[in-house]
Amino acid sequence: MKETGIADRKLLQLVQGDASLSLAELAERAGMSQSSAWRKIQEMEAEGVIRKRVTLLDPRKLDLKLCVIAHVTLDDHHEEAVASFAAVVAERPEIMECYALSGTFDYMLKIRATDVESYDAFMTRYLMRNPHVRTVVSSFVLRELKFSTELPI
């Protein structure tokens, strides 16, 4: 994005905090006209600064109480192994986030499941059956101290 002014940053903070705000509310709170706010939002969407507008759901109310952080190590890092693992990550909705890491493990996954048994079935069926996965080390989240989707802008 080109030079980001104070009003632009305010607009971004407002949108990422509550995407359901009307254009009038956004413009007023950002201190700009509705036409300017609309134009800025359109520019930020076109430039990919605003990637998507979503609704956040409460996983506990949807019976997805178990949150697992899984550290995965592959047997090797050849193109085929990485592509095979990436395909599993892309196709499985239980995997909420995936990061390639430096250090001891190759990847970190954030996975949602209904309970330990459903996670075990998922891990056995999808992660451990992948021929390129060497190890999966799972940690069960006991308590969520902070969760945010808002970038610190």
Side-chain angles (χ1 to χ4, degrees):
M1 189 172 144
K2 298 174 212 131
E3 193 69 29
T4 306
I6 293 171
D8 294 354
R9 286 190 178 278
K10 181 64 176 172
L11 192 58
L12 286 171
Q13 289 170 342
L14 291 165
V15 169
Q16 75 173 343
D18 184 355
S20 70
L21 291 174
S22 70
L23 182 60
E25 290 172 303
L26 288 170
E28 181 182 331
R29 293 182 190 183
M32 57 177 60
S33 69
Q34 286 188 40
S35 60
S36 292
W38 182 84
R39 189 177 65 254
K40 289 289 186 184
I41 289 171
Q42 296 302 308
E43 287 174 11
M44 290 185 267
E45 286 177 338
E47 294 171 0
V49 174
I50 296 175
R51 295 188 331 204
K52 186 183 208 183
R53 298 186 209 187
V54 299
T55 299
L56 298 176
L57 306 177
D58 186 335
R60 291 175 301 248
K61 294 193 177 177
L62 296 168
D63 199 28
L64 293 167
K65 295 176 181 146
L66 185 65
C67 183
V68 181
I69 304 300
H71 290 90
V72 177
T73 304
L74 301 182
D75 276 331
D76 62 62
H77 296 97
H78 291 97
E79 196 172 313
E80 177 191 339
V82 173
S84 173
F85 179 72
V88 171
V89 169
E91 72 187 24
R92 297 309 314 163
E94 299 91 341
I95 301 173
M96 305 292 299
E97 298 174 43
C98 176
Y99 302 96
L101 304 175
S102 63
T104 306
F105 301 104
D106 297 323
Y107 296 93
M108 187 210 76
L109 308 176
K110 179 179 176 183
I111 299 166
R112 282 284 180 179
T114 57
D115 52 31
V116 173
E117 292 79 14
S118 67
Y119 172 69
D120 181 49
F122 162 78
M123 183 181 65
T124 303
R125 189 172 298 129
Y126 298 105
L127 292 180
M128 296 309 294
R129 283 199 184 150
N130 183 294
H132 305 287
V133 171
R134 181 184 330 146
T135 61
V136 177
V137 177
S138 304
S139 297
F140 298 101
V141 174
L142 300 176
R143 190 175 331 119
E144 188 176 275
L145 299 178
K146 181 178 181 178
F147 170 80
S148 178
T149 61
E150 297 181 37
L151 295 174
I153 55 172

